[in-house]
């Protein structure tokens, strides 16, 4: 899992897959090129795990929208090495950032990367 | 892969995970319960494959927003049994419907199920 989700080119609920023509529209509107499909599938694979979804949710809801492993082991009921493994997968997919401060590494959600993934599946408003 | 995505309780860009309290908000706003995380992860697992993403895209873009296996093998360059295997995973996840008519089965996208998955990751507009 080494794919990194790129920054979205546009914002708003009608945005989604880059077609390579400067246009971003959701999956349900645009035939998906093979390279885009590979990249998006890697992102979905990172979130296709209940523990990783809960970690994303816990971090997003934590004070300052960041958390260290020490904040996360108890809520998910798993060991620190296991939680760190899941966090690494999310960092590698570009869905979390990791910053070392003192003894601990702090993780923060990358909202644009999550939104790029999600918007591929969501229809434009009003459709 | 036998999870079926439920119908969304509300619509609009602020909708997402059901918290069990009648409220639907995206992942980045709501701590995710274990059962919701399991169900959503099953849905993301179904779309975490480049061939299945391309099949969803091809079907959504096809005339009448439905397609049979015979329409899909050539665009993805795979055998009919392989395409049928991927389609079955998407049907089992509740992301496609399947209807037998004559010789062929026809598949259609379930937009609400895709949107429920996607909206979990997408922030509310204006946030």
């Amino acid at each position: 899992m080494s794919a990194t989700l790129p920054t979205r080119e546009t914002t708003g609920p009608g945005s989604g897959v880059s077609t390579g023509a400067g246009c971003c529209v959701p999956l349900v509107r645009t035939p998906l090129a093979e390279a885009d499909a590979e990249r998006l599938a890697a992102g979905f694979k990172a979130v296709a795990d209940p523990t990783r979804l809960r970690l994303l949710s816990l971090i997003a809801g934590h004070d300052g929208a960041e958390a260290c492993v020490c904040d996360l082991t108890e809520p998910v009921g798993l060991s620190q090495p296991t939680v760190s493994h899941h966090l690494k997968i999310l960092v590698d997919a570009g869905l979390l950032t990791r910053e070392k401060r003192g003894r601990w590494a702090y993780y923060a959600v990358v909202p644009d990367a999550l939104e790029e993934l999600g918007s591929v599946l969501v229809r434009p408003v009003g459709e």
Side-chain angles (χ1 to χ4, degrees), chain A:
Chain A
M1 183 61 58
S2 62
T4 300
L5 295 168
T7 307
R8 288 151 54 83
E9 290 172 25
T10 62
T11 58
S15 305
V17 183
S18 169
T19 62
C23 176
C24 293
V25 292
L27 174 65
V28 294
R29 296 289 299 275
T30 310
L32 200 54
E34 206 161 337
D36 284 332
E38 292 279 354
R39 180 177 57 76
L40 290 164
F44 285 123
K45 195 170 174 185
V47 299
D49 178 279
T51 299
R52 293 200 286 277
L53 282 173
R54 294 184 70 207
L55 289 170
L56 283 171
S57 174
L58 287 163
I59 294 168
H62 207 260
D63 287 347
E66 68 170 16
C68 71
V69 179
C70 58
D71 299 314
L72 299 168
T73 51
E74 189 274 333
V76 294
L78 295 168
S79 69
Q80 189 196 308
T82 300
V83 171
S84 292
H85 166 75
H86 284 298
L87 291 170
K88 183 178 187 313
I89 289 171
L90 292 167
V91 170
D92 288 348
L95 303 177
L96 287 181
T97 57
R98 178 185 189 277
E99 190 190 348
K100 192 88 190 288
R101 291 205 299 274
R103 182 181 167 195
W104 295 104
Y106 287 80
Y107 297 85
V109 166
V110 182
D112 281 356
L114 285 176
E115 188 163 338
E116 199 230 13
L117 266 191
S119 62
V120 172
L121 304 175
V122 174
R123 289 170 296 181
V125 169
E127 193 178 348

